[in-house]
Structures are given as structure tokens and as C-alpha cells.
Amino acid sequence: MAMKITNEVLEAHLNCKFKGHLKLAGEAGTRSDYEAMTAAAKVASREQAIAKLLARSGEGADCGGAAVTVATLRSGQPLLADATLEDEGLSLRCDALKRAPGPSRLGDHHFFPVLHEHGEKVGRQQKVLLAVFGLALARVQGVRPTAGLVARGPDARLGKVRLDSKLYRQAEQVIGELDRLRDGGEPPRLMLNGHCQICEFRQRCREQAVQADDISLLETVREKDLRKLNRKGIFTLTQLSCTFRPRKKGKRVKRPDHARYPALQALALREKKVHVYGTPDISRKPIQVFLDVEGSEDGGFAYLLGVLLVEGDNQKTHVFWADSPADEVHAFDAFLDILDSREDFALFHYGSYDKKLLQRMRKVVERTDLVDRVLANAVNVLSAIRASVYFPTFSNGLKDVGRYLGCAWTEENASGLQSLVWRARWEEGRDPIWKGKLLTYN
């Protein structure tokens, strides 16, 4: 018997079609600590949000996950929580259904779907999910809802999403693709993407991609670029590497600073050596400051600033830790103290996260002139690499480049996402073990 399309299958498909195929086939992977932590947080947030919605509705009754029928909806309750929409191919759990005025098979009212979202962002995935719920709901009430609601966070802050014809077409396409897979259709082609780093199938898919020499191993290649290459008959990194041709620089043609050539990246991998295209723009100053920040995923709270200060032959490390957001400004000020008396320095960081922190720091500290000087002397090493340097790695991530250069991390699973888990565990009981892991990692 074919497996029904569930919320889990739908969400997997919207993140990655190959993952949707695996979930529809009933397969399970190995969850990372980060994925397990976020899943538990979402469950807790959802339970609180549903309780808030029920309390606000006044007289709504929890339907306890019972299948939604015409009789259930005709009762006209203002809110049905944890509702299950089910037919021969679907088994969808809708966080809630909210009554709205307007004629339908039920009488003078119908229902809008309500989707809980743990975070603040409402993107394409949430909108398409609401449209899928709308399609399933229409089979019962006879009309498609014109809107859906998103209940954000544990407080269930409601926002409306207009369900127009475009969204419904996308929802129909998603259901059609999954129905085809249920009927034994050809599985989608494996294509690595940004979701892989938090996916339970990440190791399995990566090994399959490496074995196939798949171009999607390159993190800089977007899906539309990959499809364009495939249409030209280019499917492997080896094939891609053979297409690189160095171009002469015309007098009137200036190469964009952001331009990067996937074919040259593939060539670096094939030849197992570094290629440099152009001249990296790296500031040289007598004092070098290396900054690495650990903080929340959205960058709204930085709890650890690690600094390496190099003056001639002297090197010194500094660590600035914040127990809570209230301590953050003190950590910022302590960091600024070591730069206050130094004039000619360059501050090196890797990626945009650290610079965004510096920009936010300017809004909360008193020494804004000093922060401006730090920003003026900041050098994003990743930008220099992206513009000119091609390591024989699948990405320009610090872990990939670092390991190629012979660096090692004390924890095998060390990563930015894993650091979020360690911080969460430290906050639960203030166990120094987790703080020690963070300090060592930073």
C-alpha cells in the first residue's frame, strides 16, 4: 500500500525534492544534534501557540486530531485546533482551522487554514503549505479559502497570507509531483542544496554525490545554473573542469569583483591544487587583529568574541564572554579596549556574520568613532578568496578550506550549527563542559 502524503513528506519535498522522495518511501536518516534541538523547540512552541489560539477563541473546542468532515465543520466553531485533513492520498495535520464568513457547502461560513511557524520568517514554504491545506480543505467545504493564517512563535502572533491562483497552482504542482512518486514514478535527481547541512540524509546524499562526481557538490552553483549546465550535457565536475578557458582582460572590460567561475573551481578539484585568478586584495598593516564571533543564528546576540592580536613577533589571544544579552555590551567594550590605543591595524574576519555584529555594536556602545575605525579597517577574508582564490574544495567554508590547509578541530562534529547546540546546553544548566567546548572551538 502506497504511503500517504503527510506534513513531513510535504516539508521535505519543499526543502529538497530528493528528500521528499526518500520520506515518501518511508526512509529515515540520522538526525544531527541541531536538528533534534530545533525539532523539540518547534513542538514546544506549537503546543503553546495552539493553547493561546484556543484561549483567544473563547468557545473553540479542540478536535484532538480527529479527521475533519462536513459534519465537523458545519458545527461552526470559531476554531478547530490540531485538525486532520485526510483522504485516499493525503493525511495532513493542520495546526488549526479558523471560521470565516462566506457561503460554502457548510452554510454561511467556511474555514481558513492556520499554520504555526516557530520563527519569524514567513517564506515560500509556509505559503505553499497553506495553499496545500487550502486544497485539502476545499474538498470538504466546497470552496477554496482565499487566505490562510500564520501563527508565529509560542505567542501565536497571527499574520494573513493571501492564497491566490499562483499559490494554488504551485500547491497543485507539488501534490502532482508527490502523487507521481507514490504511483512509482522515476525519483528526482539528487541535487545538493543549502538544506543539506541540517538534513538527516546529509551523509548519505553527499556520499552519493561524490560517487557520481556531481556538480551540485559545489556550493557556489545554484539550482538554475545547474539545470543550465545539464541542458548543455554537463553533469559531472570533471566535465565542468574541461570547460574553463582563461580570458584575456580587455582594456574596456572590467571583471566584476564578485565574479566566480565554477569551471575553475572544478579544475582546482581535478588537479588537486590551488588556482589564483587575479590578485587578492588583502590589507597589510603592522598590527593584525583576527576576530571570530559566536552568537545566535540570527545574529541578534553575540555571546563570545575570540580575538588573536599579532604585533610583530608577539601574539596574544583574548576571549570576551557574555552570560546573557544584558552582558553583551560589556563584552563589546572589553573588545574595543584592546584596540583603543592602537592606530594602524587591520581586522580580519571570515564571512559577513562578524561585520554585521560590528555594525550592530555601533548602535549600543558609546565609542562610535572607534567602531567606525574598526569597520574601516575590517577585511573579510572570505571576500578575497571568493574573488581570486580557488582551493580544491567543494566550498569556501572555513571548515573545508581549513582542513585542506591542514587544520583540525578538537571536536569531530564542530560547526557553527553545533555551537548553537552547545550554547543551548550551557544555558540549561550552566555546565562548564559546554562553555569549555565553545571556548576551544572559537
Side-chain angles (χ1 to χ4, degrees), residues 33 51 66 69 89 144 170 189 203 228 309-310 360 366 384:
D33 290 344
T69 63
R144 291 182 176 181
Q170 292 178 16
R189 184 171 174 268
Q203 192 61 38
K228 186 176 179 180
L309 183 65
V310 181
R360 185 168 62 82
E366 294 181 357

Side-chain angles (χ1 to χ4, degrees), residues 403 407-414 422 436-437 439-442:
R403 290 188 178 108
C407 300
W409 276 255
T410 53
E411 297 281 342
E412 186 178 350
N413 63 342
W422 292 335
K437 285 181 181 290
L439 293 174
T440 303
Y441 169 68
N442 178 264

Side-chain angles (χ1 to χ4, degrees), residues 142-157:
V143 295
R144 291 182 176 181
T146 57
L149 299 171
V150 177
R152 291 169 297 176
D155 294 329
R157 297 179 301 280

Side-chain angles (χ1 to χ4, degrees), residues 138-286:
R139 297 175 186 178
V140 181
Q141 64 185 16
V143 295
R144 291 182 176 181
T146 57
L149 299 171
V150 177
R152 291 169 297 176
D155 294 329
R157 297 179 301 280
L158 288 177
K160 183 178 283 190
V161 174
R162 182 170 169 263
L163 301 180
D164 55 19
S165 58
K166 182 180 178 181
L167 268 179
Y168 275 123
R169 282 196 300 271
Q170 292 178 16
E172 288 170 339
Q173 183 180 357
V174 167
I175 295 299
E177 290 172 349
L178 290 171
D179 279 337
R180 181 183 59 79
L181 290 174
R182 287 179 67 250
D183 295 337
E186 183 179 354
R189 184 171 174 268
L190 172 66
M191 190 181 299
L192 303 185
N193 61 32
H195 177 71
C196 293
Q197 63 176 332
I198 60 173
C199 178
E200 63 192 275
F201 300 110
R202 62 197 175 283
Q203 192 61 38
R204 166 196 172 142
C205 291
R206 189 171 184 83
E207 289 172 359
Q208 184 176 333
V210 170
Q211 187 176 4
D213 194 31
D214 194 88
I215 297 173
S216 68
L217 284 161
L218 296 183
E219 290 188 6
T220 54
V221 177
R222 296 172 296 179
E223 183 175 340
K224 69 175 184 179
D225 298 324
L226 187 58
R227 296 190 188 281
K228 186 176 179 180
L229 289 169
N230 291 166
R231 285 196 295 270
K232 295 179 179 179
I234 301 171
F235 293 91
T236 68
L237 287 170
T238 301
Q239 290 173 333
L240 179 62
S241 70
C242 295
T243 67
F244 179 71
R245 298 289 183 273
R247 299 175 182 177
K248 290 184 179 179
K249 216 172 186 182
K251 292 182 179 179
R252 298 183 181 179
V253 180
K254 184 178 180 182
R255 175 175 171 255
D257 292 337
H258 63 274
R260 189 164 180 88
Y261 303 104
L264 183 52
Q265 187 77 52
L267 183 63
L269 283 161
R270 192 186 84 192
E271 296 182 343
K272 295 182 174 59
K273 68 180 183 182
V274 181
H275 285 261
V276 180
Y277 193 88
T279 304
D281 183 16
I282 297 292
S283 177
R284 298 184 181 278
K285 297 289 181 71

Side-chain angles (χ1 to χ4, degrees), residues 38-49:
T38 53
K42 288 177 182 177
V43 169
S45 178
R46 179 181 183 272
E47 290 177 354
Q48 293 177 57

